[in-house]
Amino acid sequence: MSTILLILKHKENSRLLSEWLGKSYQILLPISLESGDDTFWEEPFDLCIIDGYFLHLYWERLQVRRKSEQPVFLPILLVTSRPNVTLETRNLWQFVDKLVITPITKRVLQTDVEVLLRSRRLSLQLKLNQSGEEFDNNQQSKALALLQLEADLRKAIEEGNQFQVYYQPIVSLEHQTIAGFEALVRWNHPKQGLIAPDQFIPVAEETGLILSIDLWVLQEACRQMRIWQLSLPHAARLKISVNFSSKQFSLVNLQQKLAKILIHTDLDSESLKLELTESKLLDIAQSTMTTLLDVKSLGIELVLDDFGTGYSSFSYLHNVPIDALKIDRSFIWKIGVDENSNKIVQSIIRLSHKLGMYAIAEGVETVEQLAQLKKWGCEYGQGYLFAKPLNSAAAWELIASKPIWS
Ligand code: C2E
Ligand code: MG
Ligand code: MG
């Protein structure tokens, strides 16, 4: 748990800030600043929130402390009613990392604290990664680029118009027709253009921003699928698969949230599948299991994505209420090339059937792979052989053309 040192002039402000920061952080409060008590400087802390009133008294101590922690970043947040003139002339920004003008709001405080502490964690992580060597320029710019990405991501979520959903068809291998689509998020960055999920989903996962992104994608994909179902008779039974971070399953009110989205978009729950990643599901808590069952009770299907890449302990498969296994594309690619991959794919398909589930192969790129998958009884396939992820207009054209892959 991160420790925050609070050096504020008014007791009431200290009380309010401690309350706002809640139980997520440990708060270090000097007993009496006026009496000259400075023993608190001996204690370890991860962030210092300091009142402008005390800054010139303590800035030297803070700088010494910062230097001693290098290359790990020790952030300082200044709370002030107006920037202090004398310090401004000494270049305030050499001493503090963030300035908030009073009266502060709870939201601003929490956001700033979270961003600053994340920078600290990141610098600590980079230091550990290079086993104690000095931070080099390359690593510093990598850390900065990550922080910039996080800031841009927050902005994108607030503005709400930078994300786009692409759709990749999932094909029934028995009928060779479209059975549904997987919704895949894209980020249309104002400066960098279209960014693939692999480049921002890990940051979104780490910061918890994934919760908002997933729900936005879900809402948009359900809305889109309902439009397609209503527009063409042969599209009425199409299903939509949406990737869902395992973080979602620790939310207490997930079932209500999903039910609300289904009602709002008028989509039948049987048209929706949620894809979860295997590795994250392994450390499943009992409360998560209850949420999975709640979600299933709505009529939504659950698919285990990237199957085979986690630390597959098959015993847990009995316990989780999963409907299908999606075989990771790293195995599909090697069908016909590597005898072991052939065996693995065949075994996963058999395993899914034994457990009363069905199998989906992702990353199908060649007709040879398709032929083998059909022979082994795999129910569904997805991959560039059929189509790449498409924007909604192109996906619509594909549905309308009633493709049959033979
Ligand atoms: P995933 O769920 O396993 O999605 C399949 C990925 O494989 C997609 O990459 C898709 O474009 C790619 N793919 C499909 N067929 C082929 C093929 O034949 N060849 C090759 N080389 N690639 C193929 P994409 O769109 O870059 O997504 C990457 C991952 O990002 C997804 O993997 C998923 O884990 C995550 N993701 C995407 N959208 C969301 C979202 O809305 N929420 C969450 N939580 N994760 C998402
Ligand atoms: Mg997926
Ligand atoms: Mg996958």
Side-chain angles (χ1 to χ4, degrees):
M1 191 191 264
S2 302
T3 303
I4 301 176
L5 170 63
L6 271 189
I7 309 180
L8 299 180
K9 185 165 187 282
H10 300 290
K11 279 212 166 63
E12 181 51 22
N13 281 346
S14 297
R15 192 193 59 76
L16 200 65
L17 260 58
S18 306
E19 195 184 299
W20 282 351
L21 294 168
K23 298 190 181 74
S24 319
Y25 309 100
Q26 197 168 347
I27 307 293
L28 190 62
L29 279 172
I31 302 170
S32 166
L33 289 162
E34 307 296 345
S35 70
D37 162 49
D38 62 0
T39 48
F40 58 90
W41 287 113
E42 318 294 321
E43 308 277 332
F45 60 90
D46 300 290
L47 163 72
C48 173
I49 302 184
I50 186 165
D51 205 313
Y53 179 82
F54 285 119
L55 190 62
H56 36 315
L57 195 64
Y58 287 128
W59 75 262
E60 262 177 53
R61 305 287 295 254
L62 274 168
Q63 293 322 302
V64 169
R65 186 64 190 257
R66 242 148 107 105
K67 276 219 174 83
S68 72
E69 297 240 354
Q70 267 174 1
V72 177
F73 168 61
L74 180 67
I76 300 170
L77 185 144
L78 178 69
V79 176
T80 181
S81 51
R82 65 195 168 89
N84 181 305
V85 182
T86 45
L87 275 167
E88 242 177 21
T89 54
R90 288 179 182 176
N91 190 357
L92 191 67
W93 297 110
Q94 271 179 24
F95 310 112
V96 302
D97 305 287
K98 189 87 199 182
L99 180 139
V100 284
I101 308 284
T102 51
I104 342 167
T105 66
K106 186 176 171 182
R107 201 174 84 92
V108 165
L109 179 75
Q110 284 173 337
T111 310
D112 286 339
V113 163
E114 205 182 297
V115 169
L116 289 172
L117 285 174
R118 202 174 115 67
S119 318
R120 176 166 171 84
R121 280 199 299 275
L122 198 65
S123 66
L124 193 64
Q125 210 175 330
L126 284 170
K127 186 190 164 212
L128 288 177
N129 285 351
Q130 47 169 358
S131 56
E133 286 164 36
E134 284 286 292
F135 232 35
D136 65 27
N137 281 346
N138 191 10
Q139 271 165 321
Q140 189 125 19
S141 50
K142 227 157 98 189
L144 285 175
L146 264 176
L147 285 174
Q148 185 62 50
L149 184 79
E150 183 190 331
D152 289 353
L153 207 51
R154 276 181 201 282
K155 202 157 165 242
I157 290 168
E158 267 165 33
E159 290 179 4
N161 57 359
Q162 292 180 22
F163 295 108
Q164 219 175 326
V165 182
Y166 271 52
Y167 300 90
Q168 188 178 31
I170 296 174
V171 173
S172 150
L173 298 189
E174 186 192 348
H175 303 108
Q176 325 251 46
T177 52
I178 304 178
F181 285 87
E182 176 174 10
L184 294 159
V185 70
R186 300 288 180 265
W187 178 13
N188 209 345
H189 190 281
K191 288 196 192 120
Q192 297 176 36
L194 220 54
I195 305 185
D198 286 344
Q199 285 174 48
F200 66 90
I201 295 282
V203 176
E205 281 271 358
E206 202 185 320
T207 52
L209 294 172
I210 193 71
L211 295 172
S212 319
I213 299 176
D214 278 355
L215 289 175
W216 182 84
V217 172
L218 178 70
Q219 163 99 20
E220 178 57 22
C222 290
R223 188 191 66 78
Q224 183 61 76
M225 180 44 77
R226 188 61 189 142
I227 294 176
W228 289 336
Q229 287 180 339
L230 290 173
S231 317
L232 288 167
H234 73 272
R237 297 172 70 87
L238 290 184
K239 313 221 172 197
I240 186 79
S241 300
V242 179
N243 293 289
F244 229 48
S245 160
S246 56
K247 276 206 163 81
Q248 302 282 2
F249 293 90
S250 33
L251 299 183
V252 274
N253 56 351
L254 182 66
Q255 191 190 28
Q256 290 96 307
K257 274 193 181 143
L258 292 174
K260 219 163 134 186
I261 289 179
L262 287 169
I263 292 169
H264 190 221
T265 56
D266 188 33
L267 189 80
D268 196 283
S269 62
E270 276 157 26
S271 302
L272 177 62
K273 303 183 190 200
L274 294 180
E275 294 194 1
L276 332 175
T277 313
E278 184 194 7
S279 56
K280 307 270 171 55
L281 215 66
L282 278 174
D283 36 48
I284 198 165
Q286 189 52 45
S287 55
T288 314
M289 181 68 84
T290 314
T291 319
L292 285 173
L293 289 167
D294 286 348
V295 170
K296 275 218 55 92
S297 73
L298 290 175
I300 298 170
E301 276 191 16
L302 298 176
V303 176
L304 210 46
D305 204 352
D306 305 338
F307 190 79
T309 55
Y311 311 94
S312 303
S313 127
F314 292 146
S315 57
Y316 80 93
L317 278 179
H318 279 301
N319 307 326
V320 281
I322 295 292
D323 298 279
L325 301 181
K326 196 164 191 182
I327 312 166
D328 193 68
R329 63 175 191 267
S330 55
F331 302 113
I332 307 297
W333 279 346
K334 294 192 212 139
I335 291 177
V337 179
D338 165 13
E339 192 45 42
N340 279 339
S341 291
N342 280 6
K343 284 184 192 149
I344 292 171
V345 174
Q346 252 178 301
S347 308
I348 298 176
I349 297 170
R350 268 197 224 124
L351 176 72
S352 66
H353 295 164
K354 284 236 163 75
L355 293 170
M357 305 172 182
Y358 58 88
I360 310 159
E362 77 177 9
V364 183
E365 292 191 356
T366 68
V367 284
E368 291 78 21
Q369 291 162 358
L370 174 62
Q372 288 293 6
L373 288 163
K374 277 167 77 171
K375 200 171 102 192
W376 296 331
C378 182
E379 282 85 354
Y380 297 97
Q382 174 183 357
Y384 295 174
L385 177 67
F386 308 111
K388 287 198 168 179
L390 307 165
N391 66 27
S392 58
W396 162 249
E397 275 176 33
L398 184 75
I399 301 171
S401 72
K402 291 192 185 176
I404 297 178
W405 288 275
S406 49

